[in-house]
Amino acid sequence: MSSETSASAGQAGGDLEARRYLTVFLPLWVAMVALQSGLLIHDVGAAWIISRETESRSLVALAQTASALPFFLFALPAGALADMVERRRIVQAAAFGLAGLSLVVALAALSGTITVPLLLLASFVNGCCNAAFTPSWQAMTPELVSGERLQGALALNSLGVNIARSIGPLTSGLLLFAAGPAAAFLFNAVLYSAVALAFIMIAPRSAPMAAQESLLSAVRGGLAYVRHERGLQAVALRAVAFFIFAATFWALVPVVVREWFHGTSLMLGLMVGSVGLGAIIGARALKSLRRRFDLDQLMLGAGLLAALAMACVPLAPLPAALAALHAVLGFCWLLSFSSIHLAAQLRLTPWIRARGTAVYLISVFGSLAVGSFASGLLADHLGISVTFWLSAAGLLLATLAAFARLRIAIAAPVKLAHSAILPAVTVLDRDAAIMVTITYAPRDGEQQAAERVLSHLKAARLRTGARYWSSQRTGTLLVERIGYDSGERLGRSAMRHMAEDVAAEAELLGLLAEAPEIAIAQETPRAAQTGGSASK
């Protein structure tokens, strides 16, 4: 009878998850695709208008830089904020902000006062809103979808962005060609308003993960996590290796369409939309590819194929050939971005998810900003063809180097666990800066092994909130000293260790002759101000 009850409960849970997937995640996913499409409508429209107003290739490429740069500047604070407040509120505010901005640009176009500086400023503000929206949405996804559906949902997010890369540019090209800039930006204002209303009506409430932290403290916590989490560093660097060179495609396509083929805005929309078509093909093949190759191998193949496509751009005799090369880029883009995204999400636990998501997005969009600006400058001084060949060579070398040195594949998601040592500490004053001193007495002959394991715990302590760490050997004893800004931070740190950290603690405890001696002392204000992370 109990087994039947368990089966019924499991089936009910599965039905609930299925309903949540269909009635909550998928409608919000459609809204996300609509918002991303709107961003592409703006980007393509702004780049085309700028390309018609100036002969400077670097100024045209600057439109892509202006759109991507805000991620580099603001994604981490936005991610920290998303870990502190309701994420749906940030998403709603970003969508309404985009709607208002699009309305302003549309009115400027109607009055004939639209200028290159205004378009660049609008692209920058657009990027700021996107920098607020994206970490919150990516962090919401694991809350809306769980279990076996999560990997599919993460892949669907990547597919959605690339569907937008197909729909948005084509829509932009059609509107610009048929009705002019004002119609394109006015369409965006309506679209963004609909997205905001969808998140108001459908997105469920959720409790913030870091509500007791200040924004500055949350940002510092995110930076500390990245500094001491090598796996996430590898993911971020792998993103840089691909996107800083692949940015040349995006940055110079308006120039190529105008100078090589004397095309219209509609041709530009079709050309950029081909990237989305290639991404859709990649998404359909992604599940099969992941069964045969790990994330590192997928990134290797995507980088090599994208480098080949980029080298062939100057040799493309017809617009159709160039569109096919952009479709190849979209295929590679989907493989790379989805691999980076999955590798990052598998490494992130709930308390740091939005900030960790912001880190790899900073890498992606920071690379796009730098790569776009650099390719524009190179095109001005060396020509378009040489710029594509240099970018292809750079992508080839970076891909090979990253595959050799930066592995990102991970077998299973990391999991949170309570520290096996720190929970033994009780704190009377939760707001006072404290120093925790832990004395370990290894068994005879186990001192070196214990010292080696203890050194591995440095990253765990600093990653989870400590501002100071040191260890030293005193005779046969090992002493670990950990400084925290408050007892409250110590309590959070104890709950934020990963399972592998706790396994290291268990290994250390197994090497001891007796239980460790734990002492806690409140630091003086001067000591609290001068402490810093250290290792001895």
Side-chain angles (χ1 to χ4, degrees):
M1 188 70 164
S2 60
S3 61
E4 293 178 359
T5 303
S6 300
S8 299
Q11 183 177 358
D15 292 343
L16 181 62
E17 287 294 330
R19 285 198 301 272
R20 187 179 179 88
Y21 184 84
L22 293 173
T23 62
V24 179
F25 173 73
L26 285 182
L28 293 181
W29 177 82
V30 171
M32 181 275 293
V33 173
L35 185 139
Q36 295 295 329
S37 298
L39 293 171
L40 267 295
I41 291 172
H42 173 92
D43 287 348
V44 171
W48 180 250
I49 295 170
I50 293 172
S51 72
R52 296 182 61 184
E53 296 292 326
T54 179
E55 296 295 323
S56 171
R57 296 161 180 170
S58 58
L59 198 57
V60 175
L62 196 60
Q64 176 65 35
T65 299
S67 180
L69 184 61
F71 266 90
F72 182 78
L73 299 176
F74 306 124
L76 185 56
L81 188 64
D83 280 331
M84 297 173 59
V85 302
E86 269 199 286
R87 290 160 182 161
R88 68 183 190 126
R89 300 293 187 191
I90 298 175
V91 169
Q92 293 161 11
F96 277 127
L98 288 167
L101 177 65
S102 295
L103 184 59
V104 169
V105 178
L107 292 175
L110 282 172
S111 64
T113 58
I114 194 167
T115 62
V116 171
L118 174 61
L119 287 170
L120 291 176
L121 177 61
S123 294
F124 182 81
V125 177
N126 254 21
C128 292
C129 293
N130 194 21
F133 172 89
T134 302
S136 294
W137 167 252
Q138 299 287 11
M140 284 175 66
T141 300
E143 298 171 356
L144 300 174
V145 182
S146 59
E148 296 179 354
R149 294 182 181 269
L150 179 57
Q151 283 203 23
L154 296 176
L156 199 60
N157 277 344
S158 297
L159 173 62
V161 172
N162 287 285
I163 289 175
R165 291 193 182 279
S166 182
I167 296 174
L170 181 58
T171 304
S172 183
L174 285 172
L175 289 172
L176 289 170
F177 184 76
F185 295 117
L186 187 60
F187 176 86
N188 257 6
V190 176
L191 183 67
Y192 290 138
S193 298
V195 170
L197 291 175
F199 274 91
I200 289 174
M201 297 174 63
I202 301 174
R205 294 181 179 274
S206 60
M209 299 300 301
Q212 296 178 326
E213 292 185 86
S214 67
L215 179 60
L216 180 59
S217 175
V219 171
R220 287 172 54 196
L223 291 173
Y225 188 92
V226 175
R227 181 182 175 188
H228 299 286
E229 177 47 47
R230 293 185 178 179
L232 195 58
Q233 292 172 14
V235 172
L237 291 174
R238 201 68 181 268
V240 172
F242 180 86
F243 291 102
I244 197 168
F245 298 105
T248 300
F249 263 108
W250 294 109
L252 296 184
V253 63
V255 178
V256 169
V257 169
R258 179 171 56 85
E259 294 189 14
W260 286 2
F261 300 110
H262 308 289
T264 64
S265 60
L266 181 58
M267 181 185 289
L268 176 62
L270 290 169
M271 201 69 66
V272 180
S274 298
V275 177
L277 178 61
I280 294 172
I281 295 172
R284 292 183 63 86
L286 187 60
K287 187 174 182 180
S288 175
L289 289 172
R290 280 184 176 164
R291 284 198 297 263
R292 300 177 60 185
F293 306 104
D294 65 22
L295 298 182
D296 292 299
Q297 293 167 335
L298 289 176
M299 288 288 294
L300 174 65
L304 296 179
L305 185 57
L308 177 62
M310 196 174 301
C312 292
V313 167
L315 308 176
L318 298 171
L322 186 60
L325 293 174
H326 277 77
V328 173
L329 170 68
F331 181 86
C332 299
W333 197 283
L334 184 282
L335 293 186
S336 296
F337 189 84
S338 63
S339 297
I340 291 293
H341 179 56
L342 180 58
Q345 292 299 320
L346 291 176
R347 284 172 168 79
L348 297 171
T349 49
W351 75 274
I352 198 68
R353 180 165 286 129
R355 281 167 283 182
T357 298
V359 168
Y360 84 83
L361 290 176
I362 285 172
S363 301
V364 171
F365 286 90
S367 299
L368 289 175
V370 174
S372 297
F373 183 65
S375 63
L377 290 177
L378 287 173
D380 272 337
H381 291 86
L382 301 177
I384 300 174
S385 297
V386 173
T387 300
F388 273 103
W389 286 328
L390 288 176
S391 297
L395 180 56
L396 174 64
L397 295 175
T399 298
L400 294 174
F403 182 73
R405 303 292 298 274
L406 301 169
R407 295 305 179 99
I408 62 173
I410 183 171
V414 298
K415 295 185 180 297
L416 279 180
H418 284 267
S419 169
I421 297 174
L422 294 182
V425 180
T426 57
V427 182
L428 297 178
D429 189 347
R430 294 176 60 84
D431 297 322
I434 60 172
M435 179 65 69
V436 179
T437 302
I438 309 173
T439 304
Y440 303 95
R443 297 192 302 270
D444 290 341
E446 302 288 4
Q447 283 83 1
Q448 288 188 349
E451 193 170 8
R452 173 183 54 78
V453 176
L454 181 59
S455 67
H456 290 312
L457 291 176
K458 173 187 176 183
R461 308 304 194 208
L462 295 173
R463 187 200 320 120
T464 56
R467 60 167 175 78
Y468 172 87
W469 183 92
S470 71
S471 68
Q472 64 182 36
R473 187 171 179 174
T474 304
T476 60
L477 302 178
L478 295 177
V479 180
E480 179 183 21
R481 300 181 75 240
I482 318 168
Y484 293 92
D485 288 334
S486 67
E488 183 179 10
R489 187 175 289 273
L490 167 59
R492 289 199 297 265
S493 176
M495 296 186 294
R496 291 174 174 176
H497 280 55
M498 297 178 184
E500 61 187 42
D501 302 328
V502 178
E505 288 183 327
E507 182 182 356
L508 177 60
L509 293 174
L511 298 172
L512 304 182
E514 58 187 47
E517 179 183 335
I518 303 174
I520 181 169
Q522 180 176 333
E523 290 189 284
T524 63
R526 182 175 181 179
Q529 292 172 2
T530 58
S533 61
S535 174
K536 299 182 181 177

